[in-house]
């Protein structure tokens, strides 16, 4: 081989290698809506804090309204959105260009101003992407866009009676994809084989509660409990732990609404630090917050023994808490920000975003000590929380943002109701 040709090939190889490295650095794996560890936080640093929605790295518009959080796996982005009135899963590359889409049956578009037919966020095990829609469709799609299986939980188990739109996302255990339905009527937790979609187990989860307090929108959390893979499930005014292999109830804690208040659905998903679960309840949006710390140990009904602390002065109704460096961070529905110790419930510091007439619906993100909080009017507020609270920026996306921000190296994915934005330096 002539020397000049050899040198040319080597130069091309270096260029291609550099391109592959650059591509690999565009996005970081984020396989479910609250991140790999269900914390809502990331160790990534040097993400953007200020941007112009008209001058982003890229943006991709969808043909219908969606509120789910995108996920990322190996530089591919997976997001649910309707296409021509049908539920759909859309795959994009790291530059926002479409790779493929899979369409299912007709969408149920929902009824809440901040809802859609695809509120549930997808999740992946690296082999398939699992999706659920308000229409009842639960499906597994491989990473090339081929549907492995599909079923409809509304047709199988009846419609949900939730007052607002469905909110619970599918979660993955070692063997199963798990869905929860908590509403007025037959409530349940069910596991389906990831490979075939066949029902593995389904357990009833019914509790007598005041009006609407049996309605649940939170997502179960996979934990290890007493050496077993388990599902921590919050709803119906009870926090429960189920064996992931069998669905068997092994632990239960109640007593979260001793005064019998009405119209307290469960929305915010619990977070876990060590053996402590933090539960946000009440109606913080109406000035009635409740916050609870519960020890995850023992067995059976632990209502009288495992409650560590309770607070009625801070809380969150819709945005889920964040775990960052073993502390809990709350963004309240009106923008109050609190950092506290999960073991004691004691406040470490408090801050607040500027007052505004609109609430916070999307669950916030912390990346590298920077807090990103989307407000329902589409403004993403940014604060440095490494040493207390310091407001940095307010970034208007120009459309409502209900989904959670997704971090990447030097960039963020922000999903508006009709557009996916990638902002970065």
């Amino acid at each position: 081989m002539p020397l000049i040709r050899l040198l040319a090939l080597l130069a091309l190889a270096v260029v291609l290698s550099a391109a592959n490295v650059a591509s690999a650095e565009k996005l970081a794996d984020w396989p479910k809506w609250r991140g790999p560890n269900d914390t809502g936080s990331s160790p990534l640093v040097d993400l953007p804090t200020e941007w112009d929605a008209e001058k982003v790295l890229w943006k991709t518009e969808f043909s219908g309204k969606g509120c789910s959080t995108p996920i990322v796996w190996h530089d591919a982005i997976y997001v649910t959105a309707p296409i021509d009135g049908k539920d759909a899963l859309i795959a994009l590359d790291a530059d926002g260009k479409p790779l493929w889409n899979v369409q299912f049956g007709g969408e149920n578009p929902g009824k809440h101003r901040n809802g859609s037919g695809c509120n549930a966020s997808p999740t992946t095990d690296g082999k398939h992407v699992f999706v659920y829609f308000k229409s009842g469709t639960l499906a597994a799609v491989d990473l090339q866009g081929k549907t492995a299986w599909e079923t409809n939980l509304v047709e199988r188990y009846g419609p949900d009676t939730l007052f607002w739109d469905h909110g619970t996302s599918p979660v993955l255990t070692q063997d199963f994809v798990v869905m929860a339905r908590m509403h007025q009527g037959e409530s349940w937790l069910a596991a389906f084989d990831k490979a075939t979609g066949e029902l593995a187990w389904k357990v009833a989860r019914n509790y007598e509660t005041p009006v609407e307090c049996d309605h649940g929108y939170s997502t179960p959390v996979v934990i290890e409990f007493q050496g077993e893979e388990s599902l921590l499930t919050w709803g119906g005014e009870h926090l429960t732990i189920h064996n992931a292999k069998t669905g068997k109830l092994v632990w239960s804690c109640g007593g979260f609404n001793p005064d019998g208040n009405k119209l307290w659905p469960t929305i915010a998903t619990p977070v876990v630090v060590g053996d402590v679960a933090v539960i946000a309840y009440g109606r913080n949006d109406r000035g009635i917050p409740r916050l609870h710390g519960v020890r995850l140990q023992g067995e059976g009904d632990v209502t009288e023994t495992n409650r560590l602390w309770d607070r009625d002065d801070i809380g969150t109704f819709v945005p889920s808490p964040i775990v960052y460096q073993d502390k809990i961070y709350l963004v309240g529905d009106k923008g109050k920000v609190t950092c506290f110790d999960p073991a004691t419930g004691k406040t470490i510091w408090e801050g607040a975003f500027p007052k505004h007439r609109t609430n916070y619906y999307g669950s916030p993100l912390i990346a590298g000590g920077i807090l990103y909080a989307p407000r329902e009017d589409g403004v993403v507020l940014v604060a440095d929380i490494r040493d207390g609270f310091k407001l940095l920026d307010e970034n208007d996306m120009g459309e409502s943002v209900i989904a959670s921000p997704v971090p990447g190296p030097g960039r963020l994915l922000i999903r508006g109701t009709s557009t996916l934005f990638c902002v970065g330096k």
Side-chain angles (χ1 to χ4, degrees), residues 234 237 255-262 264-268 277-294 307 309-319 321 330 332-333 340 345:
W234 165 234
E237 298 187 340
F256 293 94
N257 184 13
D259 298 327
N261 292 283
K262 299 178 181 179
W264 281 17
T266 55
I267 299 181
V278 174
I279 310 299
Y281 196 36
R283 290 301 299 263
N284 186 64
D285 63 325
R286 299 178 181 178
I288 316 173
R290 296 291 187 272
L291 198 64
H292 309 268
V294 180
R307 306 184 70 88
W309 51 265
D310 299 282
R311 294 187 62 168
D312 62 5
D313 60 329
I314 60 170
T316 174
F317 182 49
V318 178
L330 290 184
D333 304 80
F340 64 92

Side-chain angles (χ1 to χ4, degrees), residues 80-104:
T80 52
I83 295 178
D84 298 328
K86 293 183 177 181
D87 294 327
L89 170 65
I90 301 169
L92 308 169
D93 69 13
D95 295 314
K97 295 179 177 135
L99 297 172
W100 49 258
N101 71 75
V102 177
Q103 299 177 33
F104 304 99

Side-chain angles (χ1 to χ4, degrees), residues 25 49 57 66 110 173 185 221 237 265 269 301 310 349 351 365 382 399:
E25 292 177 346
T49 61
L57 294 180
T173 67
V221 179
E237 298 187 340
T269 292
D301 188 342
D310 299 282
W349 56 257
L365 164 76
V382 185
E399 63 184 71

